[in-house]
Amino acid sequence: MSFNLLMIFVDDAGGILPAINHSPWDGLTLADFVMPFFLFIVGISLALTYKKLSCRAVATRKAILRALKLLMLGLFLQGGFFHGLNDLTYGVDIEHMRWMGILQRIAIAYLLAALCEIWLKGDGNVNLASSLLSQYRFQWALVLMLSTLYLSLLYGLYVPDWEYRIPIETSSSPPKLFSVKCGVRGDTGPACNAVGMIDRKILGIQHLYKRPVYARTQQCSINFPNNGPLPSDAPSWCQAPFDPEGLLSSVMAIVSCFVGLHYGHIIVHYKDHRDRIFHWMFTSSCLVVLGLGLNLCGMHFNKALYTFSYMCFTAGVAGILFAGIYFMVDVCGCRRPTFVMEWMGIHALMLYILAACNVLPVFLQGFYWSRPRNNILTLIGIGR
């Protein structure tokens, strides 16, 4: 499917083509659409999977097992066991293992959406948009609760001063201590946001992602918007760990999955092509306008924080793209051009693990001549 193709493309080419790499902080690039698109399609698939249930208990057990498998796979692939390109070693210190990651976030969103679809939906026919909302009112109530919780914590929590340590690799000296001055509430900058504070308090700063996206901001890199040496006047937070798939940001990511669930409900309850496309486009347009309006009012698009405006806009764009593909394939019958995307959708997890998680590149890098640097990836410009 096209979302999986986009995911692999930006993950592999983002470092080579900075224009499609993740935004250093506020703003949107092509890469920033990947996660919400994937969660959106997970929601659609859940609506179709649980359209008819023979036994809720069995479905619940299977959903929990799938989520646990994703969690364990995420910990193995993104917890630090593989050391990445140019480093043919493996193994991770449990005291510094990264707990959150892309697969872990997908697992959490999948499990919560699956349980809601299994247990929190009504029975009956849907004739109007209002009856569709009424049948899934408990799911929408949960979406409202999650959004309120996220916004309350993001803008309401007080973030005190904090500190972190960076080991000095070329010296036996103790790690260097950095202090970050905050003492604010409702800040959405890289240093003093509630998303990072919650992760530091609950997960522990040693378990967060060690290469934060804000290291490419203008304050932290002389090669902005690429990675580079620190400027002489760089702020103290530039090297601090920060997890883009943290706990609070995952709350809003779950909402992206529920939006996809709603689009799946439209497939289930509306059989006419025009009705489906009308409801998809109406919902998508509302989300895009709301997201743009919030961004203009100061709630900026931010993938690392997974802001409410970012969720609305990306979910709306995902809905428009989905409606376009549906029109091309199901209405116009143009299936042949999408054959490759369909195959990728069926094998989405396998392709993600091989390509986006660097499993295939690391495997290929293990075959070299004379020196580890002499390998096929270096010849084609990857991993330099």
Side-chain angles (χ1 to χ4, degrees), residues 343-373:
W343 181 86
M344 294 184 73
I346 295 172
H347 303 90
L349 183 60
M350 179 190 70
L351 291 172
Y352 174 77
I353 290 171
L354 289 176
C357 290
N358 281 339
V359 172
L360 182 60
V362 168
F363 174 79
L364 291 176
Q365 225 178 21
F367 296 92
Y368 58 89
W369 49 95
S370 299
R371 295 181 302 167
R373 297 282 304 174

PDB file of all heavy atoms in Angstrom, residues 343-373:
ATOM      1  N   TRP A 343       0.799  -5.262  -2.896  1.00  0.00           N
ATOM      2  CA  TRP A 343       1.719  -6.288  -2.385  1.00  0.00           C
ATOM      3  C   TRP A 343       2.475  -5.772  -1.166  1.00  0.00           C
ATOM      4  O   TRP A 343       2.657  -6.481  -0.185  1.00  0.00           O
ATOM      5  CB  TRP A 343       2.701  -6.691  -3.488  1.00  0.00           C
ATOM      6  CG  TRP A 343       3.664  -7.760  -3.054  1.00  0.00           C
ATOM      7  CD1 TRP A 343       3.470  -9.106  -3.076  1.00  0.00           C
ATOM      8  CD2 TRP A 343       4.978  -7.559  -2.508  1.00  0.00           C
ATOM      9  NE1 TRP A 343       4.573  -9.770  -2.583  1.00  0.00           N
ATOM     10  CE2 TRP A 343       5.513  -8.836  -2.228  1.00  0.00           C
ATOM     11  CE3 TRP A 343       5.740  -6.433  -2.230  1.00  0.00           C
ATOM     12  CZ2 TRP A 343       6.780  -9.012  -1.686  1.00  0.00           C
ATOM     13  CZ3 TRP A 343       7.007  -6.595  -1.689  1.00  0.00           C
ATOM     14  CH2 TRP A 343       7.516  -7.876  -1.429  1.00  0.00           C
ATOM     15  N   MET A 344       2.896  -4.507  -1.222  1.00  0.00           N
ATOM     16  CA  MET A 344       3.611  -3.915  -0.091  1.00  0.00           C
ATOM     17  C   MET A 344       2.700  -3.790   1.122  1.00  0.00           C
ATOM     18  O   MET A 344       3.145  -3.934   2.263  1.00  0.00           O
ATOM     19  CB  MET A 344       4.172  -2.548  -0.477  1.00  0.00           C
ATOM     20  CG  MET A 344       5.245  -2.592  -1.542  1.00  0.00           C
ATOM     21  SD  MET A 344       5.956  -0.976  -1.884  1.00  0.00           S
ATOM     22  CE  MET A 344       6.932  -0.723  -0.406  1.00  0.00           C
ATOM     23  N   GLY A 345       1.423  -3.515   0.894  1.00  0.00           N
ATOM     24  CA  GLY A 345       0.488  -3.429   2.010  1.00  0.00           C
ATOM     25  C   GLY A 345       0.295  -4.767   2.696  1.00  0.00           C
ATOM     26  O   GLY A 345       0.191  -4.837   3.931  1.00  0.00           O
ATOM     27  N   ILE A 346       0.265  -5.842   1.932  1.00  0.00           N
ATOM     28  CA  ILE A 346       0.108  -7.181   2.506  1.00  0.00           C
ATOM     29  C   ILE A 346       1.329  -7.552   3.342  1.00  0.00           C
ATOM     30  O   ILE A 346       1.214  -8.211   4.384  1.00  0.00           O
ATOM     31  CB  ILE A 346      -0.120  -8.216   1.383  1.00  0.00           C
ATOM     32  CG1 ILE A 346      -1.449  -7.924   0.680  1.00  0.00           C
ATOM     33  CG2 ILE A 346      -0.105  -9.642   1.935  1.00  0.00           C
ATOM     34  CD1 ILE A 346      -1.678  -8.770  -0.558  1.00  0.00           C
ATOM     35  N   HIS A 347       2.511  -7.118   2.913  1.00  0.00           N
ATOM     36  CA  HIS A 347       3.756  -7.458   3.609  1.00  0.00           C
ATOM     37  C   HIS A 347       4.363  -6.227   4.289  1.00  0.00           C
ATOM     38  O   HIS A 347       5.582  -6.075   4.355  1.00  0.00           O
ATOM     39  CB  HIS A 347       4.766  -8.052   2.625  1.00  0.00           C
ATOM     40  CG  HIS A 347       4.260  -9.255   1.889  1.00  0.00           C
ATOM     41  ND1 HIS A 347       3.600  -9.161   0.686  1.00  0.00           N
ATOM     42  CD2 HIS A 347       4.286 -10.572   2.206  1.00  0.00           C
ATOM     43  CE1 HIS A 347       3.266 -10.378   0.277  1.00  0.00           C
ATOM     44  NE2 HIS A 347       3.666 -11.259   1.176  1.00  0.00           N
ATOM     45  N   ALA A 348       3.510  -5.349   4.807  1.00  0.00           N
ATOM     46  CA  ALA A 348       3.964  -4.068   5.347  1.00  0.00           C
ATOM     47  C   ALA A 348       4.961  -4.225   6.484  1.00  0.00           C
ATOM     48  O   ALA A 348       6.007  -3.569   6.513  1.00  0.00           O
ATOM     49  CB  ALA A 348       2.760  -3.244   5.805  1.00  0.00           C
ATOM     50  N   LEU A 349       4.654  -5.093   7.443  1.00  0.00           N
ATOM     51  CA  LEU A 349       5.531  -5.232   8.608  1.00  0.00           C
ATOM     52  C   LEU A 349       6.889  -5.787   8.220  1.00  0.00           C
ATOM     53  O   LEU A 349       7.923  -5.295   8.684  1.00  0.00           O
ATOM     54  CB  LEU A 349       4.864  -6.121   9.656  1.00  0.00           C
ATOM     55  CG  LEU A 349       5.641  -6.308  10.967  1.00  0.00           C
ATOM     56  CD1 LEU A 349       5.867  -4.962  11.659  1.00  0.00           C
ATOM     57  CD2 LEU A 349       4.904  -7.261  11.898  1.00  0.00           C
ATOM     58  N   MET A 350       6.896  -6.794   7.360  1.00  0.00           N
ATOM     59  CA  MET A 350       8.163  -7.391   6.939  1.00  0.00           C
ATOM     60  C   MET A 350       9.034  -6.367   6.220  1.00  0.00           C
ATOM     61  O   MET A 350      10.239  -6.256   6.481  1.00  0.00           O
ATOM     62  CB  MET A 350       7.898  -8.585   6.024  1.00  0.00           C
ATOM     63  CG  MET A 350       9.166  -9.258   5.505  1.00  0.00           C
ATOM     64  SD  MET A 350       8.853 -10.458   4.211  1.00  0.00           S
ATOM     65  CE  MET A 350       8.375  -9.368   2.852  1.00  0.00           C
ATOM     66  N   LEU A 351       8.439  -5.584   5.324  1.00  0.00           N
ATOM     67  CA  LEU A 351       9.196  -4.582   4.579  1.00  0.00           C
ATOM     68  C   LEU A 351       9.711  -3.487   5.500  1.00  0.00           C
ATOM     69  O   LEU A 351      10.836  -3.004   5.336  1.00  0.00           O
ATOM     70  CB  LEU A 351       8.326  -3.980   3.478  1.00  0.00           C
ATOM     71  CG  LEU A 351       7.971  -4.923   2.328  1.00  0.00           C
ATOM     72  CD1 LEU A 351       6.955  -4.283   1.405  1.00  0.00           C
ATOM     73  CD2 LEU A 351       9.223  -5.301   1.549  1.00  0.00           C
ATOM     74  N   TYR A 352       8.902  -3.095   6.466  1.00  0.00           N
ATOM     75  CA  TYR A 352       9.338  -2.064   7.408  1.00  0.00           C
ATOM     76  C   TYR A 352      10.544  -2.549   8.212  1.00  0.00           C
ATOM     77  O   TYR A 352      11.517  -1.812   8.398  1.00  0.00           O
ATOM     78  CB  TYR A 352       8.196  -1.696   8.351  1.00  0.00           C
ATOM     79  CG  TYR A 352       8.633  -0.753   9.439  1.00  0.00           C
ATOM     80  CD1 TYR A 352       8.822   0.606   9.179  1.00  0.00           C
ATOM     81  CD2 TYR A 352       8.897  -1.212  10.725  1.00  0.00           C
ATOM     82  CE1 TYR A 352       9.251   1.466  10.164  1.00  0.00           C
ATOM     83  CE2 TYR A 352       9.327  -0.354  11.717  1.00  0.00           C
ATOM     84  CZ  TYR A 352       9.493   0.985  11.430  1.00  0.00           C
ATOM     85  OH  TYR A 352       9.939   1.826  12.419  1.00  0.00           O
ATOM     86  N   ILE A 353      10.484  -3.779   8.677  1.00  0.00           N
ATOM     87  CA  ILE A 353      11.582  -4.321   9.481  1.00  0.00           C
ATOM     88  C   ILE A 353      12.860  -4.401   8.649  1.00  0.00           C
ATOM     89  O   ILE A 353      13.944  -4.024   9.111  1.00  0.00           O
ATOM     90  CB  ILE A 353      11.201  -5.710  10.027  1.00  0.00           C
ATOM     91  CG1 ILE A 353      10.099  -5.570  11.090  1.00  0.00           C
ATOM     92  CG2 ILE A 353      12.419  -6.421  10.623  1.00  0.00           C
ATOM     93  CD1 ILE A 353       9.522  -6.887  11.528  1.00  0.00           C
ATOM     94  N   LEU A 354      12.743  -4.874   7.411  1.00  0.00           N
ATOM     95  CA  LEU A 354      13.925  -5.045   6.569  1.00  0.00           C
ATOM     96  C   LEU A 354      14.545  -3.720   6.159  1.00  0.00           C
ATOM     97  O   LEU A 354      15.765  -3.551   6.193  1.00  0.00           O
ATOM     98  CB  LEU A 354      13.559  -5.854   5.321  1.00  0.00           C
ATOM     99  CG  LEU A 354      13.263  -7.337   5.530  1.00  0.00           C
ATOM    100  CD1 LEU A 354      12.827  -7.977   4.234  1.00  0.00           C
ATOM    101  CD2 LEU A 354      14.475  -8.066   6.096  1.00  0.00           C
ATOM    102  N   ALA A 355      13.710  -2.750   5.777  1.00  0.00           N
ATOM    103  CA  ALA A 355      14.225  -1.507   5.211  1.00  0.00           C
ATOM    104  C   ALA A 355      14.309  -0.388   6.231  1.00  0.00           C
ATOM    105  O   ALA A 355      15.382   0.158   6.496  1.00  0.00           O
ATOM    106  CB  ALA A 355      13.357  -1.083   4.027  1.00  0.00           C
ATOM    107  N   ALA A 356      13.181  -0.033   6.832  1.00  0.00           N
ATOM    108  CA  ALA A 356      13.144   1.139   7.707  1.00  0.00           C
ATOM    109  C   ALA A 356      13.852   0.908   9.030  1.00  0.00           C
ATOM    110  O   ALA A 356      14.321   1.863   9.656  1.00  0.00           O
ATOM    111  CB  ALA A 356      11.695   1.558   7.955  1.00  0.00           C
ATOM    112  N   CYS A 357      13.926  -0.332   9.500  1.00  0.00           N
ATOM    113  CA  CYS A 357      14.625  -0.623  10.757  1.00  0.00           C
ATOM    114  C   CYS A 357      16.085  -0.986  10.533  1.00  0.00           C
ATOM    115  O   CYS A 357      16.755  -1.460  11.457  1.00  0.00           O
ATOM    116  CB  CYS A 357      13.915  -1.753  11.510  1.00  0.00           C
ATOM    117  SG  CYS A 357      12.318  -1.288  12.185  1.00  0.00           S
ATOM    118  N   ASN A 358      16.567  -0.823   9.298  1.00  0.00           N
ATOM    119  CA  ASN A 358      17.980  -1.035   8.964  1.00  0.00           C
ATOM    120  C   ASN A 358      18.440  -2.485   9.072  1.00  0.00           C
ATOM    121  O   ASN A 358      19.636  -2.752   9.068  1.00  0.00           O
ATOM    122  CB  ASN A 358      18.892  -0.159   9.840  1.00  0.00           C
ATOM    123  CG  ASN A 358      18.954   1.267   9.366  1.00  0.00           C
ATOM    124  OD1 ASN A 358      18.656   1.555   8.201  1.00  0.00           O
ATOM    125  ND2 ASN A 358      19.323   2.173  10.252  1.00  0.00           N
ATOM    126  N   VAL A 359      17.497  -3.435   9.166  1.00  0.00           N
ATOM    127  CA  VAL A 359      17.904  -4.838   9.261  1.00  0.00           C
ATOM    128  C   VAL A 359      18.595  -5.275   7.973  1.00  0.00           C
ATOM    129  O   VAL A 359      19.671  -5.878   8.009  1.00  0.00           O
ATOM    130  CB  VAL A 359      16.690  -5.743   9.567  1.00  0.00           C
ATOM    131  CG1 VAL A 359      17.090  -7.216   9.470  1.00  0.00           C
ATOM    132  CG2 VAL A 359      16.153  -5.438  10.950  1.00  0.00           C
ATOM    133  N   LEU A 360      18.013  -4.966   6.836  1.00  0.00           N
ATOM    134  CA  LEU A 360      18.637  -5.342   5.564  1.00  0.00           C
ATOM    135  C   LEU A 360      19.940  -4.589   5.318  1.00  0.00           C
ATOM    136  O   LEU A 360      20.948  -5.206   4.944  1.00  0.00           O
ATOM    137  CB  LEU A 360      17.646  -5.117   4.406  1.00  0.00           C
ATOM    138  CG  LEU A 360      18.155  -5.505   3.015  1.00  0.00           C
ATOM    139  CD1 LEU A 360      18.520  -6.980   2.970  1.00  0.00           C
ATOM    140  CD2 LEU A 360      17.103  -5.173   1.957  1.00  0.00           C
ATOM    141  N   PRO A 361      19.986  -3.247   5.522  1.00  0.00           N
ATOM    142  CA  PRO A 361      21.271  -2.554   5.351  1.00  0.00           C
ATOM    143  C   PRO A 361      22.376  -3.080   6.268  1.00  0.00           C
ATOM    144  O   PRO A 361      23.514  -3.232   5.833  1.00  0.00           O
ATOM    145  CB  PRO A 361      20.927  -1.094   5.676  1.00  0.00           C
ATOM    146  CG  PRO A 361      19.485  -0.965   5.359  1.00  0.00           C
ATOM    147  CD  PRO A 361      18.881  -2.285   5.727  1.00  0.00           C
ATOM    148  N   VAL A 362      22.045  -3.353   7.535  1.00  0.00           N
ATOM    149  CA  VAL A 362      23.055  -3.875   8.459  1.00  0.00           C
ATOM    150  C   VAL A 362      23.523  -5.246   8.004  1.00  0.00           C
ATOM    151  O   VAL A 362      24.717  -5.577   8.073  1.00  0.00           O
ATOM    152  CB  VAL A 362      22.492  -3.928   9.899  1.00  0.00           C
ATOM    153  CG1 VAL A 362      23.415  -4.729  10.807  1.00  0.00           C
ATOM    154  CG2 VAL A 362      22.306  -2.519  10.452  1.00  0.00           C
ATOM    155  N   PHE A 363      22.596  -6.073   7.500  1.00  0.00           N
ATOM    156  CA  PHE A 363      22.965  -7.396   6.992  1.00  0.00           C
ATOM    157  C   PHE A 363      23.910  -7.274   5.795  1.00  0.00           C
ATOM    158  O   PHE A 363      24.935  -7.953   5.720  1.00  0.00           O
ATOM    159  CB  PHE A 363      21.699  -8.163   6.599  1.00  0.00           C
ATOM    160  CG  PHE A 363      21.966  -9.479   5.923  1.00  0.00           C
ATOM    161  CD1 PHE A 363      22.326 -10.596   6.663  1.00  0.00           C
ATOM    162  CD2 PHE A 363      21.868  -9.598   4.542  1.00  0.00           C
ATOM    163  CE1 PHE A 363      22.578 -11.811   6.035  1.00  0.00           C
ATOM    164  CE2 PHE A 363      22.114 -10.798   3.913  1.00  0.00           C
ATOM    165  CZ  PHE A 363      22.471 -11.917   4.661  1.00  0.00           C
ATOM    166  N   LEU A 364      23.571  -6.373   4.866  1.00  0.00           N
ATOM    167  CA  LEU A 364      24.422  -6.195   3.681  1.00  0.00           C
ATOM    168  C   LEU A 364      25.786  -5.631   4.049  1.00  0.00           C
ATOM    169  O   LEU A 364      26.799  -5.972   3.439  1.00  0.00           O
ATOM    170  CB  LEU A 364      23.723  -5.262   2.680  1.00  0.00           C
ATOM    171  CG  LEU A 364      22.473  -5.809   2.000  1.00  0.00           C
ATOM    172  CD1 LEU A 364      21.842  -4.746   1.124  1.00  0.00           C
ATOM    173  CD2 LEU A 364      22.801  -7.054   1.183  1.00  0.00           C
ATOM    174  N   GLN A 365      25.813  -4.776   5.076  1.00  0.00           N
ATOM    175  CA  GLN A 365      27.085  -4.179   5.481  1.00  0.00           C
ATOM    176  C   GLN A 365      28.013  -5.197   6.124  1.00  0.00           C
ATOM    177  O   GLN A 365      29.219  -4.969   6.226  1.00  0.00           O
ATOM    178  CB  GLN A 365      26.816  -3.032   6.464  1.00  0.00           C
ATOM    179  CG  GLN A 365      27.630  -1.798   6.155  1.00  0.00           C
ATOM    180  CD  GLN A 365      27.315  -0.666   7.093  1.00  0.00           C
ATOM    181  OE1 GLN A 365      26.798  -0.864   8.177  1.00  0.00           O
ATOM    182  NE2 GLN A 365      27.647   0.533   6.686  1.00  0.00           N
ATOM    183  N   GLY A 366      27.440  -6.318   6.553  1.00  0.00           N
ATOM    184  CA  GLY A 366      28.271  -7.356   7.160  1.00  0.00           C
ATOM    185  C   GLY A 366      29.170  -8.071   6.171  1.00  0.00           C
ATOM    186  O   GLY A 366      30.087  -8.790   6.562  1.00  0.00           O
ATOM    187  N   PHE A 367      28.923  -7.883   4.866  1.00  0.00           N
ATOM    188  CA  PHE A 367      29.768  -8.470   3.825  1.00  0.00           C
ATOM    189  C   PHE A 367      30.612  -7.363   3.212  1.00  0.00           C
ATOM    190  O   PHE A 367      30.088  -6.463   2.563  1.00  0.00           O
ATOM    191  CB  PHE A 367      28.896  -9.141   2.755  1.00  0.00           C
ATOM    192  CG  PHE A 367      28.105 -10.305   3.260  1.00  0.00           C
ATOM    193  CD1 PHE A 367      26.811 -10.135   3.731  1.00  0.00           C
ATOM    194  CD2 PHE A 367      28.656 -11.580   3.281  1.00  0.00           C
ATOM    195  CE1 PHE A 367      26.075 -11.206   4.202  1.00  0.00           C
ATOM    196  CE2 PHE A 367      27.932 -12.659   3.756  1.00  0.00           C
ATOM    197  CZ  PHE A 367      26.637 -12.475   4.221  1.00  0.00           C
ATOM    198  N   TYR A 368      31.912  -7.393   3.458  1.00  0.00           N
ATOM    199  CA  TYR A 368      32.802  -6.335   2.992  1.00  0.00           C
ATOM    200  C   TYR A 368      34.119  -6.944   2.522  1.00  0.00           C
ATOM    201  O   TYR A 368      34.371  -8.143   2.701  1.00  0.00           O
ATOM    202  CB  TYR A 368      33.056  -5.307   4.101  1.00  0.00           C
ATOM    203  CG  TYR A 368      33.649  -5.894   5.364  1.00  0.00           C
ATOM    204  CD1 TYR A 368      35.040  -6.015   5.532  1.00  0.00           C
ATOM    205  CD2 TYR A 368      32.848  -6.336   6.399  1.00  0.00           C
ATOM    206  CE1 TYR A 368      35.588  -6.552   6.675  1.00  0.00           C
ATOM    207  CE2 TYR A 368      33.386  -6.865   7.559  1.00  0.00           C
ATOM    208  CZ  TYR A 368      34.756  -6.975   7.693  1.00  0.00           C
ATOM    209  OH  TYR A 368      35.293  -7.512   8.838  1.00  0.00           O
ATOM    210  N   TRP A 369      34.963  -6.116   1.896  1.00  0.00           N
ATOM    211  CA  TRP A 369      36.281  -6.578   1.471  1.00  0.00           C
ATOM    212  C   TRP A 369      37.359  -5.714   2.106  1.00  0.00           C
ATOM    213  O   TRP A 369      37.266  -4.495   2.131  1.00  0.00           O
ATOM    214  CB  TRP A 369      36.394  -6.574  -0.053  1.00  0.00           C
ATOM    215  CG  TRP A 369      35.966  -5.311  -0.730  1.00  0.00           C
ATOM    216  CD1 TRP A 369      36.734  -4.270  -1.109  1.00  0.00           C
ATOM    217  CD2 TRP A 369      34.616  -4.955  -1.089  1.00  0.00           C
ATOM    218  NE1 TRP A 369      35.995  -3.286  -1.693  1.00  0.00           N
ATOM    219  CE2 TRP A 369      34.677  -3.679  -1.696  1.00  0.00           C
ATOM    220  CE3 TRP A 369      33.375  -5.588  -0.957  1.00  0.00           C
ATOM    221  CZ2 TRP A 369      33.551  -3.027  -2.158  1.00  0.00           C
ATOM    222  CZ3 TRP A 369      32.251  -4.938  -1.437  1.00  0.00           C
ATOM    223  CH2 TRP A 369      32.344  -3.680  -2.028  1.00  0.00           C
ATOM    224  N   SER A 370      38.346  -6.357   2.693  1.00  0.00           N
ATOM    225  CA  SER A 370      39.509  -5.740   3.350  1.00  0.00           C
ATOM    226  C   SER A 370      39.139  -4.986   4.622  1.00  0.00           C
ATOM    227  O   SER A 370      39.648  -5.259   5.700  1.00  0.00           O
ATOM    228  CB  SER A 370      40.259  -4.783   2.401  1.00  0.00           C
ATOM    229  OG  SER A 370      40.736  -5.478   1.281  1.00  0.00           O
ATOM    230  N   ARG A 371      38.225  -4.002   4.514  1.00  0.00           N
ATOM    231  CA  ARG A 371      37.828  -3.208   5.675  1.00  0.00           C
ATOM    232  C   ARG A 371      36.308  -3.095   5.722  1.00  0.00           C
ATOM    233  O   ARG A 371      35.648  -3.115   4.677  1.00  0.00           O
ATOM    234  CB  ARG A 371      38.436  -1.807   5.602  1.00  0.00           C
ATOM    235  CG  ARG A 371      39.963  -1.772   5.683  1.00  0.00           C
ATOM    236  CD  ARG A 371      40.458  -0.333   5.618  1.00  0.00           C
ATOM    237  NE  ARG A 371      40.006   0.332   4.388  1.00  0.00           N
ATOM    238  CZ  ARG A 371      40.066   1.638   4.176  1.00  0.00           C
ATOM    239  NH1 ARG A 371      40.546   2.432   5.135  1.00  0.00           N
ATOM    240  NH2 ARG A 371      39.651   2.169   3.040  1.00  0.00           N
ATOM    241  N   PRO A 372      35.732  -2.973   6.931  1.00  0.00           N
ATOM    242  CA  PRO A 372      34.266  -2.853   7.035  1.00  0.00           C
ATOM    243  C   PRO A 372      33.689  -1.704   6.224  1.00  0.00           C
ATOM    244  O   PRO A 372      32.543  -1.769   5.785  1.00  0.00           O
ATOM    245  CB  PRO A 372      34.045  -2.646   8.537  1.00  0.00           C
ATOM    246  CG  PRO A 372      35.209  -3.303   9.186  1.00  0.00           C
ATOM    247  CD  PRO A 372      36.365  -3.066   8.256  1.00  0.00           C
ATOM    248  N   ARG A 373      34.486  -0.644   5.998  1.00  0.00           N
ATOM    249  CA  ARG A 373      33.986   0.494   5.229  1.00  0.00           C
ATOM    250  C   ARG A 373      33.788   0.152   3.754  1.00  0.00           C
ATOM    251  O   ARG A 373      33.043   0.839   3.050  1.00  0.00           O
ATOM    252  CB  ARG A 373      34.965   1.678   5.331  1.00  0.00           C
ATOM    253  CG  ARG A 373      35.158   2.228   6.724  1.00  0.00           C
ATOM    254  CD  ARG A 373      34.024   3.102   7.173  1.00  0.00           C
ATOM    255  NE  ARG A 373      33.765   4.217   6.280  1.00  0.00           N
ATOM    256  CZ  ARG A 373      32.743   5.048   6.423  1.00  0.00           C
ATOM    257  NH1 ARG A 373      31.883   4.866   7.403  1.00  0.00           N
ATOM    258  NH2 ARG A 373      32.557   6.054   5.582  1.00  0.00           N
TER     259      ARG A 373
END
